Tab-separated table of all heavy atoms in Angstrom:
chain	number	residue	atom	x	y	z
A	324	SER	N	47.135	57.425	27.031
A	324	SER	CA	46.835	58.571	27.842
A	324	SER	C	45.287	58.566	28.234
A	324	SER	O	44.516	58.113	27.458
A	324	SER	CB	47.192	59.902	27.105
A	324	SER	OG	46.593	60.014	25.947
A	325	PRO	N	45.005	59.259	29.333
A	325	PRO	CA	43.605	59.159	29.856
A	325	PRO	C	42.612	59.640	28.890
A	325	PRO	O	41.388	59.213	28.874
A	325	PRO	CB	43.646	59.989	31.161
A	325	PRO	CG	45.106	60.123	31.440
A	325	PRO	CD	45.874	60.011	30.265
A	326	ALA	N	42.924	60.499	27.869
A	326	ALA	CA	42.014	61.057	26.944
A	326	ALA	C	41.714	60.091	25.822
A	326	ALA	O	40.823	60.224	25.103
A	326	ALA	CB	42.479	62.365	26.430
A	327	CYS	N	42.603	59.049	25.725
A	327	CYS	CA	42.466	58.203	24.440
A	327	CYS	C	41.935	56.860	24.871
A	327	CYS	O	40.640	56.626	24.697
A	327	CYS	CB	43.788	58.058	23.911
A	327	CYS	SG	43.843	57.468	22.203
A	328	PHE	N	42.684	55.878	25.426
A	328	PHE	CA	42.090	54.660	25.819
A	328	PHE	C	41.523	54.893	27.236
A	328	PHE	O	42.342	54.930	28.165
A	328	PHE	CB	43.185	53.515	25.836
A	328	PHE	CG	43.583	53.074	24.531
A	328	PHE	CD1	44.566	52.081	24.396
A	328	PHE	CD2	43.031	53.606	23.348
A	328	PHE	CE1	44.948	51.672	23.118
A	328	PHE	CE2	43.365	53.176	22.076
A	328	PHE	CZ	44.372	52.227	21.873
A	329	ARG	N	40.254	54.953	27.376
A	329	ARG	CA	39.737	55.369	28.591
A	329	ARG	C	39.530	54.112	29.616
A	329	ARG	O	39.358	54.294	30.872
A	329	ARG	CB	38.321	56.003	28.483
A	329	ARG	CG	38.507	57.377	27.847
A	329	ARG	CD	37.183	57.881	27.363
A	329	ARG	NE	37.400	59.177	26.833
A	329	ARG	CZ	37.310	60.270	27.417
A	329	ARG	NH1	37.119	60.280	28.711
A	329	ARG	NH2	37.528	61.485	26.895
A	330	ARG	N	39.553	52.942	29.042
A	330	ARG	CA	39.147	51.750	29.917
A	330	ARG	C	40.227	50.892	30.307
A	330	ARG	O	40.069	50.045	31.164
A	330	ARG	CB	38.052	50.973	29.187
A	330	ARG	CG	36.777	51.739	29.079
A	330	ARG	CD	35.765	50.912	28.170
A	330	ARG	NE	34.534	51.633	28.081
A	330	ARG	CZ	33.555	51.532	28.984
A	330	ARG	NH1	33.771	50.729	30.101
A	330	ARG	NH2	32.433	52.213	28.894
A	331	THR	N	41.420	50.970	29.713
A	331	THR	CA	42.484	49.995	29.997
A	331	THR	C	43.468	50.467	31.121
A	331	THR	O	44.145	49.664	31.632
A	331	THR	CB	43.355	49.758	28.748
A	331	THR	OG1	43.995	51.072	28.464
A	331	THR	CG2	42.551	49.274	27.641
A	332	GLY	N	43.422	51.830	31.511
A	332	GLY	CA	44.417	52.322	32.443
A	332	GLY	C	45.681	52.465	31.776
A	332	GLY	O	45.953	52.103	30.613
A	333	PRO	N	46.614	53.171	32.403
A	333	PRO	CA	47.832	53.620	31.698
A	333	PRO	C	48.954	52.601	31.707
A	333	PRO	O	49.969	52.867	31.117
A	333	PRO	CB	48.208	54.817	32.497
A	333	PRO	CG	47.778	54.518	33.917
A	333	PRO	CD	46.587	53.643	33.864
A	334	ARG	N	48.757	51.498	32.400
A	334	ARG	CA	49.988	50.712	32.599
A	334	ARG	C	50.593	50.064	31.284
A	334	ARG	O	51.843	49.947	31.157
A	334	ARG	CB	49.696	49.453	33.535
A	334	ARG	CG	49.164	50.108	34.908
A	334	ARG	CD	49.004	48.952	35.952
A	334	ARG	NE	50.200	48.429	36.345
A	334	ARG	CZ	50.883	48.794	37.428
A	334	ARG	NH1	50.405	49.861	38.209
A	334	ARG	NH2	52.060	48.299	37.823
A	335	PRO	N	49.804	49.646	30.330
A	335	PRO	CA	50.421	48.997	29.119
A	335	PRO	C	51.394	49.968	28.531
A	335	PRO	O	52.329	49.468	27.850
A	335	PRO	CB	49.230	48.852	28.176
A	335	PRO	CG	48.031	48.647	29.069
A	335	PRO	CD	48.274	49.592	30.262
A	336	ALA	N	51.245	51.278	28.590
A	336	ALA	CA	52.261	52.215	28.028
A	336	ALA	C	53.656	51.916	28.603
A	336	ALA	O	54.607	51.856	27.843
A	336	ALA	CB	51.751	53.690	28.342
A	337	GLY	N	53.756	51.746	29.980
A	337	GLY	CA	54.981	51.403	30.568
A	337	GLY	C	55.539	50.108	30.110
A	337	GLY	O	56.760	50.015	29.804
A	338	TYR	N	54.714	49.035	30.045
A	338	TYR	CA	55.135	47.708	29.626
A	338	TYR	C	55.667	47.801	28.225
A	338	TYR	O	56.705	47.207	27.872
A	338	TYR	CB	54.083	46.681	29.756
A	338	TYR	CG	53.502	46.682	31.186
A	338	TYR	CD1	52.199	46.358	31.415
A	338	TYR	CD2	54.306	46.957	32.291
A	338	TYR	CE1	51.622	46.259	32.717
A	338	TYR	CE2	53.805	46.862	33.603
A	338	TYR	CZ	52.458	46.627	33.738
A	338	TYR	OH	51.954	46.482	35.038
A	339	LEU	N	54.938	48.435	27.260
A	339	LEU	CA	55.376	48.544	25.936
A	339	LEU	C	56.739	49.228	25.821
A	339	LEU	O	57.654	48.741	25.208
A	339	LEU	CB	54.350	49.367	25.143
A	339	LEU	CG	54.722	49.723	23.687
A	339	LEU	CD1	54.625	48.459	22.893
A	339	LEU	CD2	53.839	50.756	23.134
A	340	ASN	N	56.935	50.418	26.583
A	340	ASN	CA	58.283	51.013	26.538
A	340	ASN	C	59.397	50.183	27.065
A	340	ASN	O	60.454	50.227	26.654
A	340	ASN	CB	58.108	52.298	27.258
A	340	ASN	CG	57.601	53.437	26.334
A	340	ASN	OD1	58.264	53.808	25.426
A	340	ASN	ND2	56.465	53.892	26.644
A	341	LEU	N	58.990	49.412	28.179
A	341	LEU	CA	59.992	48.521	28.675
A	341	LEU	C	60.419	47.477	27.721
A	341	LEU	O	61.694	47.235	27.534
A	341	LEU	CB	59.372	47.906	29.962
A	341	LEU	CG	60.317	47.440	31.077
A	341	LEU	CD1	61.215	48.485	31.468
A	341	LEU	CD2	59.406	46.957	32.151
A	342	LEU	N	59.438	47.018	27.049
A	342	LEU	CA	59.741	46.039	25.974
A	342	LEU	C	60.663	46.622	24.773
A	342	LEU	O	61.658	46.035	24.407
A	342	LEU	CB	58.464	45.514	25.311
A	342	LEU	CG	58.556	44.343	24.367
A	342	LEU	CD1	58.829	43.131	25.175
A	342	LEU	CD2	57.228	44.243	23.552
A	343	VAL	N	60.285	47.845	24.437
A	343	VAL	CA	61.062	48.508	23.374
A	343	VAL	C	62.420	48.705	23.864
A	343	VAL	O	63.498	48.556	23.092
A	343	VAL	CB	60.380	49.793	22.900
A	343	VAL	CG1	61.210	50.521	21.942
A	343	VAL	CG2	59.084	49.395	22.237
A	344	ALA	N	62.569	49.317	25.096
A	344	ALA	CA	63.910	49.550	25.606
A	344	ALA	C	64.729	48.237	25.697
A	344	ALA	O	65.961	48.264	25.386
A	344	ALA	CB	63.795	50.210	26.938
A	345	SER	N	64.128	47.041	26.027
A	345	SER	CA	64.854	45.854	26.109
A	345	SER	C	65.279	45.438	24.759
A	345	SER	O	66.482	44.947	24.580
A	345	SER	CB	63.899	44.777	26.619
A	345	SER	OG	63.308	45.235	27.901
A	346	LEU	N	64.458	45.625	23.726
A	346	LEU	CA	64.819	45.356	22.402
A	346	LEU	C	66.003	46.138	21.990
A	346	LEU	O	67.016	45.603	21.457
A	346	LEU	CB	63.607	45.696	21.480
A	346	LEU	CG	63.673	45.177	20.025
A	346	LEU	CD1	63.674	43.676	20.040
A	346	LEU	CD2	62.432	45.771	19.278
Side-chain angles (χ1 to χ4, degrees):
Chain A
S324 58
C327 197
F328 287 178
R329 287 166 183 273
R330 290 175 180 275
T331 60
R334 302 186 73 91
Y338 303 148
L339 174 74
N340 274 293
L341 207 50
L342 190 72
V343 172
S345 314
L346 190 64

